[in-house]
Amino acid sequence: TNWGRSDSKTGDGMRFWLCPDCGRHLDRDPSNPQHASAIQKWRENHTRLCSGEPVPLVLAYQFHTDCIVLNVPSRQDTRTIGRTTLSPTTVTLAEALLAGAGDLLELEPYELAAFPRLSPEGQTVEEIVIYETVPGGAGYVEEIARRLPEIAEAARERLYGHTCAKACYLCLKHYRNQRWHPFFDKERVRDLLLTISKMESVEPIEATGGSAIKFLYDQLDQRRCELQEEGRPPGHQNVQSPIEKRLFEALCGIADLPSPMAQYEYRKDGRLITIPDFAYPDAKIAVFCDGFAFHGNPDTLELDAKKRNQMQSDGWIVLTYWGKTIMRDAEACAREILSLYKQRVEESR
Ligand SMILES: [Zn+2]
Ligand SMILES: [Zn+2]
């Protein structure tokens, strides 16, 4: 939809004054007395040609195409910049995947587009809708669904192959996504992109709308049950789990990286805020293992997200890896932590 110019005070779209009979456009605001004489002239001209009366309209068009709906556990980091309210994590992830898909599938930048939205079921899951801009669709989104791990890997190369503060024209920005520029922050999606890149490829199945969210919740439930069986209920911090052990060993296997501090107590004004599984306080990097198991659970999601956001607003980079990702490729997680560590130490010099 196109709502016309924004009102400078309210930000509301001022719509287009169009004659529904002949389509002529009255390009002045009829509520503005300064334009009265120009409008009078327009009307006189128009009445000579047409008996219609201009009305305020929103321009819109509708088309059918293929789309992919990705469900992402919410990080509850929604913020308002100007007149837009969005989650920097979700918006950055959406654009990163678009960029990765564009690189991998060699698409023209206008062939795919995306938008984020809060899931209708509430705020524990957010959605990214990726769609083809060509009516009817050309089969790209099917390929994206099939090759999502590769696309996330392509996005990682695109985002982290160079140094920039939050986003630049080499990675995420282009002129068509200008309204999202203030929200972009590539450090917020490092762990998510790595997690997606290490996922198994999916087999296509028949499904109905909303079944992906259900599948995500089932997986999170299953992981919570496994944790309980392991004798490590969610949030329990004092026992080193097999997953933590695996990552710790991978981290210690890297010669250039100092040993991380395990069970680092992050305090603010003397108050204990949270205990990351591993931390590099000199580089302000915190790592949570298996954090996704707790996310998506409405009881802890908000609390977890709040702690995470608090660390981030203090300049920390917070990485959360799914247990599965660590068990499959702890070395990849460790390598990512190393490259981030080097970058952070260099920056602070
Ligand atoms: Zn007319
Ligand atoms: Zn960049």
Side-chain angles (χ1 to χ4, degrees), residues 81-134:
I81 300 176
R83 297 189 195 107
T84 317
T85 302
L86 286 169
S87 149
T89 304
T90 313
V91 167
T92 308
L93 185 63
E95 197 58 43
L97 291 174
L98 275 187
D103 287 350
L104 191 75
L105 308 179
E106 297 184 339
L107 302 179
E108 299 295 334
Y110 56 82
E111 288 181 287
L112 286 177
F115 58 86
R117 66 174 178 194
L118 287 178
S119 117
E121 284 183 24
Q123 301 214 345
T124 56
V125 170
E126 286 173 35
E127 289 182 343
I128 294 171
V129 181
I130 298 177
Y131 65 97
E132 293 185 31
T133 55
V134 190

Side-chain angles (χ1 to χ4, degrees), residues 146-188:
R146 241 193 339 261
R147 301 176 69 185
L148 196 59
E150 286 172 78
I151 284 164
E153 188 56 39
R156 293 183 63 221
E157 281 163 31
R158 169 90 168 228
L159 265 62
Y160 308 115
H162 66 282
T163 311
C164 70
K166 288 185 167 181
C168 72
Y169 282 86
L170 281 177
C171 51
L172 290 164
K173 292 181 179 176
H174 52 76
Y175 76 93
R176 256 173 280 99
N177 63 19
Q178 274 176 19
R179 66 206 168 99
W180 289 357
H181 288 189
F183 293 94
F184 285 152
D185 183 354
K186 67 181 190 178
E187 293 308 340
R188 285 181 191 239

Side-chain angles (χ1 to χ4, degrees), residues 175-225:
Y175 76 93
R176 256 173 280 99
N177 63 19
Q178 274 176 19
R179 66 206 168 99
W180 289 357
H181 288 189
F183 293 94
F184 285 152
D185 183 354
K186 67 181 190 178
E187 293 308 340
R188 285 181 191 239
V189 300
R190 242 180 213 276
D191 47 1
L192 288 171
L193 285 175
L194 185 76
T195 300
I196 298 171
S197 77
K198 297 293 170 192
M199 281 178 166
E200 282 161 51
S201 301
V202 289
E203 287 297 322
I205 53 161
E206 291 274 338
T208 50
S211 49
I213 295 184
K214 201 182 159 295
F215 184 72
L216 175 64
Y217 282 142
D218 287 350
Q219 278 207 325
L220 292 168
D221 279 346
Q222 193 192 329
R223 184 64 196 130
R224 273 194 293 276
C225 291

Side-chain angles (χ1 to χ4, degrees), residues 223 227 230 232 239-246 289-290:
R223 184 64 196 130
L227 283 172
E230 284 169 22
R232 189 172 177 273
V239 192
Q240 198 175 47
S241 70
I243 288 164
E244 285 167 41
K245 201 162 163 275
R246 177 89 176 74
C289 300
D290 225 11

Side-chain angles (χ1 to χ4, degrees), residues 18-24 42 46 49-54:
L18 294 169
C19 170
D21 290 356
C22 69
R24 283 187 176 80
W42 188 92
H46 181 238
L49 305 157
C50 169
S51 59
E53 183 59 30

